[in-house]
Amino acid sequence: MKKSISILLSMMTVIFCLFSLTTSAAAEEDLRFSEEYKTSVYYANLMNALEEHKDSTTQERTLAVALSQEGYLNYATEGIDIEQAKADGKLWTGAELRMSSNETGNTEYTRWAQRYIMGRGEAAQYADYDWCAIFASWCMYQAGYYNEERLKKYYYAYAVDPRVFFDADSWIESFNLNQRMVYYSPKAHHKLDAMPWNTYYNVDIDPFDIPYKPGGLVFFSWDGTGQYFSHVGIVVSYDRDTRVLTYTNGNSAGQVITRQIDLDVEEEFRGQAYCLNADRILAYADYDTITPPAPKKITAETPVITWDKSASSGVKIQTNSESVMASVYLDDEYYGSIIESNMIFHEGLLTIGGSELRRMERGANKLTLAFDDGEVDLTVYITDTENEPMGKIGDINLDGTITIGDITLIQQYLADFEELSKAQRFLADIDEDGEITITDAAILQRWLAEFSEAERIGTIK
């Protein structure tokens, strides 16, 4: 009898677990696709495209996904007859009460970005966002270029509102593209010259000679000035004889549509200024499935950092990471990434701006740098000499106590690994001889070890 009950309970447990997994999967599916979208022709087209191109390259699948959405219209686009569109079965039904001609982001793709990727609630899922970049990312995600974790880390901050920054690094990094596979036209200099920390491998490429491939990303500056990235599309084809570039894109007059641009023609285009169409091309990028760097032990040249809130600049941290992305955790809580914050990361060197550091509390902070190939923990001592008392001799990091960390700080200063503020240099001159030497570190060390009561100089209490 007991055995039968045990078997029954085990079966019930298995059934409950299966039910929970099914419910969880269904909930996740609801976040990935709205119920309205799943009843539309665009969802059916998407599933067919993924099945037909399951053995294709990432770029080929991305293009197939984009073309499967051809004809998708945004209800909010001015001039659309909503009732007729419904009758024709062309539009996703969506949340009609939130629709107006002023809301550009009322689409399935912006819903996905906010609800599924950013985890925002239903009320925020149709905010007014230009959605060309979101659509491209949605297509790349469906094609398998991103997983959820990587997409959140690399893309959503700028993709959800690409108007925040129109910088080359913002757009290129936000799609997690390899710079060796990105081609910049001469017009892109307006942005590239302002970013000397980055490395560009294909610069001043004639727009006519860029190696466009189906599925690649093409970045436009519609006014031809090159001052900012204003649009992104997915290449369908390029005819080198006629110099006609065919691309598919989202948010083109409020819809997903395939368009052509003759690069060899001077004209007004898309309501923008009269100029050579080739000048509207800023960059092009190939890509493939992301291959993360192999995990390794990450180290930093300066594991202990001191920074004063009166400083005019931030800090630079050199690591041995081979990643292209860095995320920062403060006391184990997510603090930001280079996409979201005033941080720059290139060739293992992470720069954290002063505005980010000023958010930290005075004293010791545990800072974890998370890269694709590993993590490293640092200690950042934040001081505020303009608003806090000078402190006591020996308390060089101004955390209120004298510890081995103060000795380490002197040693790093002497090795040129750390800089000290004027106030900190005063507190580090233990023997008051006007210089900071290894003797000062030795006095603190003996004081901490209680080797010599005589060397507990009066200012150390």
Side-chain angles (χ1 to χ4, degrees), residues 22-23 67 77 130 134-135 143 162 178 180 187 200 221 224 243 246 248 256 271 315 338 344-345 364:
T22 302
T23 303
L67 292 176
T77 303
D130 291 337
I134 294 177
F135 176 72
N178 186 335
R180 294 181 183 274
K187 284 289 183 178
Y200 304 99
S221 174
R243 295 182 169 184
T246 304
T248 184
V256 177
V315 299
I338 64 169
I344 304 165
F345 183 60

Side-chain angles (χ1 to χ4, degrees), residues 307-308 311-317 328 335 338 341-344 350-360 382:
W307 186 83
D308 192 83
S312 59
S313 59
V315 299
K316 295 182 183 295
I317 305 168
V328 176
Y335 196 61
I338 64 169
S341 306
N342 185 17
M343 305 179 195
I344 304 165
L350 176 66
T351 301
I352 303 180
S355 60
E356 298 297 320
L357 295 168
R358 288 186 185 91
R359 293 164 53 195
M360 298 183 188
I382 300 295

Side-chain angles (χ1 to χ4, degrees), residues 298-306 315-320 327-332 348 350-352 357 360 363-371 375-381 412 418:
I298 302 298
T299 59
E301 287 186 359
T302 311
V304 180
I305 299 167
T306 300
V315 299
K316 295 182 183 295
I317 305 168
Q318 183 66 57
T319 73
N320 65 335
S327 290
V328 176
Y329 293 81
L330 181 64
D331 294 330
D332 298 322
L350 176 66
T351 301
I352 303 180
L357 295 168
M360 298 183 188
N365 295 268
K366 176 189 173 184
L367 205 65
T368 300
L369 308 182
F371 309 105
E375 296 183 356
V376 62
D377 290 330
L378 308 175
T379 299
V380 178
Y381 289 102
Q412 291 177 334
E418 276 294 341

